[in-house]
Amino acid sequence: MGLLTALEGGYGDRGDAVVMDGRSSSWEGLLGAAGAVAERAAGATALAVLARPTLETVAAVVGGLLAGVPVVPLPPDSGPKERAHILRDSGAALLAVGGEDADTDPTEAGAGIGLLPVDLAARAGAAAPAAAEPTPDTTAFVLYTSGTTGAPKGAVIPHAAVAADLDALADAWQWTAEDTLVHGLPLFHVHGLVLGVLGALRTGSRLVHTGRPTPGGYAGARGSLYFGVPTVWSRLAADHGAARELGAARLLVSGSAPLPVPVFEQLTALTGRAPIERYGMTESLITVSTRADGERRPGSVGLPLAGVRTRLVGEDGGAVPHDGESVGELQVAGETLFRGYLNRPDADAEAWTADGWFRTGDVAVIGPDGFHRIVGRASVDLIKSGGYRIGAGEVEAALRDHPAVADAAVVGAPDGDLGQVVVAYVMADGPVTGEQLTAFVAERLSVHKRPRRVVLVPELPRNAMGKVLKKQLLDLG
């Protein structure tokens, strides 16, 4: 079985080893249902899974992994065009459905794609079917990127990369079978699925998925290890009673987007636990993180995981100093990386350097002590104005320090004179003007970093993981 060691019986079993939105399963029961999926999926080109946060989804994913078949998670809210692209591009021969999707019309899966119903009672009490264990090089997942610059691309993730990443995280976070992991994240991303499901099935920790990630759901789960995105932690910080209930937890982990410093500080004050922040991508899995036994610094994602190497590269291709100030493109290397994009040699050529490093497309700062701070995406978060290179994240952090600012996002707008100018989109939490916010930033940062324009908005557009969709902001005016 290799990857999912908890299902091998070494950690014992319990009736509520996996709890998904109020329904529970033992590892033995999950293995039985997954074994039935594996029998039917064996030999398929790929197994697509309609990834709702259910036990059926977990059984389908595990079944595909047992069979050595690439698993292709489908966002349950994906539109017809996106779903058709992923199914066609991945070459999936089967679509696993269960629960509320069990009666899906076969024609909805698309031509040439069969439905594979998932039955949690299948093979109850039976041993898993004998099958050759997938090799480390076997593809575990084809995970599709968000498609912000075109149609989503399928990142090919081997079993070895998943195992290496989860083992490195278990080491960094001291994650063991004694933990109860709690989260309410989507199961079609690295965060919710690879970390949030397979992490538990590898370390042997109990898993509680809350369905929707509400403050009450998190507080009532009584976990020792919690995963969340900044939106989740912001809502928890605003619910003081629920936040205090998390004081008994061992570790609070935030990822998928930068955690605002005020939220970091509020959580620390309410729970007595400074949150862990980490950094990763679909293509690289998690590569940098604060450690459970190390310093937890607001605005920092910590140090490279075991087996991961990082470097900063300037626009001229030269090395950028690790001085805590200089900004460069973050490049990574190591065992957690994907093998490439499915059927996209053009994208592979752009993604990899000649000496084998992956270009993340993110810009970052590394301090003399090795701590990493992510500035943002090079395409939208590195602003070039009047000869200066300005990190959007630094300006956003300064804006969030204002007591009347609930959240902020900063972009570079085209300008005929300066090339780009800093524009801030701000969710206000009290009376404030754009002029006041511009002056506030200018008092804290270099004057050239101040916003030239401030737009007050009721909400910031976000994707399912809480990341601000910055390319939509300029359309707001």
Side-chain angles (χ1 to χ4, degrees):
M1 196 170 299
L3 181 61
L4 309 176
T5 51
L7 300 183
E8 295 177 347
Y11 298 111
D13 205 358
R14 53 188 298 172
D16 61 349
V18 180
V19 181
M20 304 291 291
D21 202 14
R23 300 163 63 212
S24 61
S25 174
S26 65
W27 284 321
E28 181 183 16
L30 175 62
L31 183 57
V37 171
E39 287 179 330
R40 294 188 58 189
T45 51
L47 173 66
V49 178
L50 195 56
R52 299 190 190 279
T54 64
L55 289 171
E56 286 83 0
T57 290
V58 177
V61 170
V62 171
L65 295 174
L66 292 177
V69 172
V71 175
V72 184
L74 278 174
D77 60 350
S78 57
K81 184 176 181 180
E82 179 184 4
R83 184 174 299 187
H85 167 74
I86 293 174
L87 291 172
R88 181 177 62 254
D89 188 70
S90 67
L94 294 169
L95 173 62
V97 295
E100 65 183 88
D101 302 304
D103 297 328
T104 298
D105 186 333
T107 61
E108 294 183 23
I113 300 175
L115 292 183
L116 195 164
V118 181
D119 180 4
L120 292 179
R123 298 180 54 85
E133 182 176 313
T135 67
D137 288 337
T138 300
T139 297
F141 294 101
V142 180
L143 297 175
Y144 278 79
T145 63
S146 57
T148 55
T149 57
K153 301 187 294 287
V156 179
I157 314 291
H159 279 243
V162 176
D165 201 55
L166 295 178
D167 289 346
L169 288 172
D171 173 65
W173 297 345
Q174 300 176 359
W175 186 0
T176 73
E178 300 301 315
D179 281 306
T180 291
L181 168 63
V182 177
H183 72 90
L185 301 171
L187 299 191
F188 50 90
H189 283 288
V190 167
H191 197 171
L193 180 59
V194 178
L195 275 64
V197 173
L198 300 193
L201 296 180
R202 187 161 180 85
T203 62
S205 67
R206 180 169 174 258
L207 168 62
V208 178
H209 192 287
T210 60
R212 295 181 62 247
T214 63
Y218 271 42
R222 301 291 190 269
S224 61
L225 174 61
Y226 284 82
F227 291 169
V229 297
T231 301
V232 172
W233 296 123
S234 177
R235 291 172 181 171
L236 260 160
D239 187 329
H240 292 190
R244 291 191 180 98
E245 289 293 327
L246 268 60
R250 186 178 64 80
L251 215 59
L252 311 178
V253 181
S254 183
S256 296
L259 183 67
V261 172
V263 177
F264 181 105
E265 294 171 343
Q266 291 162 10
L267 279 174
T268 304
L270 290 166
T271 66
R273 299 283 183 271
I276 287 280
E277 293 190 70
R278 88 297 181 283
Y279 166 79
M281 298 179 65
T282 300
E283 295 90 339
S284 67
L285 305 181
I286 308 306
T287 51
V288 183
S289 179
T290 310
R291 297 185 62 90
D293 58 358
E295 180 185 356
R296 305 177 194 182
R297 190 179 301 171
S300 170
V301 293
L303 302 166
L305 295 177
V308 173
R309 293 171 290 146
T310 64
R311 69 185 185 187
L312 291 182
V313 177
E315 290 182 318
D316 60 358
V320 172
H322 296 184
D323 57 11
E325 295 290 338
S326 300
V327 176
E329 182 197 28
L330 181 64
Q331 298 180 356
V332 298
E335 298 176 347
T336 71
L337 291 178
F338 75 139
R339 279 207 304 262
Y341 296 109
L342 187 67
N343 303 320
R344 291 292 304 274
D346 58 327
D348 286 342
E350 294 179 1
W352 298 93
T353 66
D355 56 349
W357 290 70
F358 174 62
R359 298 184 174 104
T360 67
D362 286 321
V363 287
V365 172
I366 301 178
D369 57 1
F371 266 64
H372 290 50
R373 178 167 55 85
I374 306 300
V375 175
R377 296 297 292 170
S379 57
V380 293
D381 292 312
L382 183 59
I383 302 168
K384 301 173 185 178
S385 181
Y388 292 103
R389 292 160 56 88
I390 303 165
E394 185 178 18
V395 184
E396 290 164 353
L399 285 165
R400 293 187 188 113
D401 282 340
H402 193 287
V405 172
D407 204 353
V410 168
V411 298
D415 182 79
D417 179 35
L418 297 173
Q420 288 181 307
V421 293
V422 178
V423 179
Y425 294 83
V426 174
M427 291 172 55
D429 194 24
V432 70
T433 67
E435 291 78 8
Q436 290 171 331
L437 291 175
T438 295
F440 183 82
V441 173
E443 291 171 358
R444 285 156 177 77
L445 303 177
S446 301
V447 173
H448 67 267
K449 297 179 181 180
R450 71 191 186 283
R452 298 299 182 104
R453 183 159 59 95
V454 175
V455 182
L456 299 177
V457 296
E459 294 287 342
L460 295 171
R462 300 178 185 273
N463 66 14
M465 298 303 290
K467 292 183 180 179
V468 175
L469 301 172
K470 291 197 170 184
K471 291 185 178 179
Q472 294 183 14
L473 286 175
L474 290 174
D475 295 334
L476 299 178

